[in-house]
Amino acid sequence: MIKKNKWKLLISSIVTLLPVIVGLIMWDSLPERMATHWGFTGAADGFSSRPFAVFALPLILLAGHWVCVIVTAADPKNKNQTQKAVSLVFWICPFVSLFSGAVIYAAAFGMNFSINILLPVVTGLIFIVIGNYLPKCKQNYTMGIKVAWTLENEENWNATHRFGGRVWVIGGVLLMLCAFLPNTVMYYVFIVLISLLGIIPVIYSYVYYRRH
């Protein structure tokens, strides 16, 4: 899989490191201490040194990116995996890197934005995209809803991923709507929704197993 997608791996790795390149270009204009974490109120409550803010997260995401690609490629069941499902593995970490880099640099230059709006909107968008791809994901050990009942039975896998895809699309829309909630409520609803999006497909898979 890696040999077949070597250019995609190279380009996605470069994209993951783009925040580092941007940080080096703007190095002298960046403050010595930069906001890297935001609390429930939407205000920055964690700060890091300029080198850490510029280098740490993109490099961590690059390492995670390569681990995900290597593990996915090592799974023998992914030899005939759909290209659309494989593409998710290549582009999620680069997307997260670009988003986090944009937020950190925007805060460093004093731009006005609300993390409590950006976070649910971007997270919801990710769930919507993944939800559209889930039904196309073939049975494997590294991607998708991997529980005993889906791994043991291909029909269970297919049914669970069709159902899970719909649930994640709907959940993604609900997550985006969290942006309109008060700050004190948004994070609790946000966490509950994400927990449900992980639990509901698993319950469906078990019920399907019991019925069949």
Side-chain angles (χ1 to χ4, degrees):
M1 189 187 86
I2 293 179
K3 185 180 293 186
K4 183 180 178 181
N5 294 280
K6 59 183 178 181
W7 285 108
K8 189 179 293 185
L9 178 58
L10 176 62
I11 294 171
S12 60
S13 297
I14 293 172
V15 171
T16 304
L17 291 176
L18 277 180
V20 173
I21 298 171
V22 173
L24 290 173
I25 293 172
M26 303 188 302
W27 186 267
D28 292 335
S29 302
L30 295 171
E32 290 294 332
R33 301 288 293 174
M34 297 170 61
T36 52
H37 186 272
W38 284 259
F40 284 175
T41 62
D45 62 358
F47 296 84
S48 302
S49 65
R50 179 169 53 187
F52 185 91
V54 171
F55 293 104
L57 188 56
L59 290 175
I60 291 171
L61 286 169
L62 179 64
H65 177 53
W66 273 79
V67 168
C68 289
V69 171
I70 291 171
V71 170
T72 302
D75 184 348
K77 286 202 171 188
N78 279 326
K79 289 182 178 179
N80 298 314
Q81 187 59 260
T82 62
Q83 197 60 31
K84 289 184 177 180
V86 171
S87 294
L88 281 178
V89 179
F90 280 92
W91 294 111
I92 285 185
C93 283
F95 176 80
V96 173
S97 182
L98 291 178
F99 171 69
S100 58
V103 170
I104 289 172
Y105 292 140
F109 286 109
M111 297 180 183
N112 291 322
F113 65 89
S114 173
I115 194 68
N116 285 349
I117 292 177
L118 289 176
L119 180 62
V121 169
V122 172
T123 306
L125 180 62
I126 291 174
F127 270 96
I128 290 172
V129 171
I130 296 177
N132 276 287
Y133 279 70
L134 269 184
K136 303 174 180 68
C137 184
K138 294 182 180 180
Q139 195 177 34
N140 69 98
Y141 296 114
T142 51
M143 296 186 290
I145 302 164
K146 304 177 297 296
V147 292
W149 314 294
T150 58
L151 293 174
E152 291 174 0
N153 184 275
E154 189 172 359
E155 290 183 0
N156 190 313
W157 174 282
N158 293 333
T160 299
H161 282 71
R162 284 194 299 268
F163 174 79
R166 291 192 294 269
V167 169
W168 280 30
V169 169
I170 294 170
V173 174
L174 294 176
L175 285 169
M176 296 177 79
L177 292 176
C178 285
F180 297 99
L181 296 174
N183 291 346
T184 53
V185 176
M186 188 278 288
Y187 275 98
Y188 295 105
V189 177
F190 182 81
I191 292 171
V192 169
L193 278 175
I194 289 181
S195 300
L196 289 174
L197 291 179
I199 294 170
I200 291 174
V202 174
I203 294 174
Y204 176 89
S205 178
Y206 177 72
V207 171
Y208 187 96
Y209 161 75
R210 295 291 295 178
R211 287 181 176 176
H212 295 81

